[in-house]
């Protein structure tokens, strides 16, 4: 799973490099609007994921590095945060069950 996640992060880096090249590269007129549209859609989705991380920030205490990783890699960077959140929720369930 870690290898697949790492491979997908590499693909995301290549995607962002392609978007940046489409924006500032010499053939801007030839590529058209498709890279801009795709980049915008992916950026909006990653910003939404950052907002989800912000929503649980009191529990997970993410760093600026975590937010930047989510902005660049999206759900591939959220994997560790989801696992931590699930672990914390399980601990809370066990604590609540013991109190009753």
């Amino acid at each position: 799973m870690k290898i697949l996640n790492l491979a997908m992060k590499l693909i995301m880096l290549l995607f962002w490099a392609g978007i940046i090249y489409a924006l500032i590269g010499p053939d801007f007129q030839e590529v058209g609007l498709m890279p801009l549209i795709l980049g915008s859609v992916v950026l909006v989705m990653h910003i939404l994921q950052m907002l989800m991380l912000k929503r649980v920030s009191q529990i997970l205490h993410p760093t600026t590095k975590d937010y930047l990783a989510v902005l660049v890699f999206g759900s591939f960077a959220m994997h560790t945060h989801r696992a931590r959140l699930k672990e914390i929720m399980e601990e809370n369930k066990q604590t609540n069950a013991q109190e009753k």
Side-chain angles (χ1 to χ4, degrees), residues 50 83 94:
M50 281 179 58
Q94 290 176 357

Side-chain angles (χ1 to χ4, degrees), residues 75-90:
S75 62
F76 305 115
M78 291 288 285
H79 179 69
T80 55
H81 302 296
R82 283 191 298 263
R84 281 179 43 212
L85 187 60
K86 184 177 179 181
E87 188 177 291
I88 290 170
M89 292 303 174
E90 289 297 323

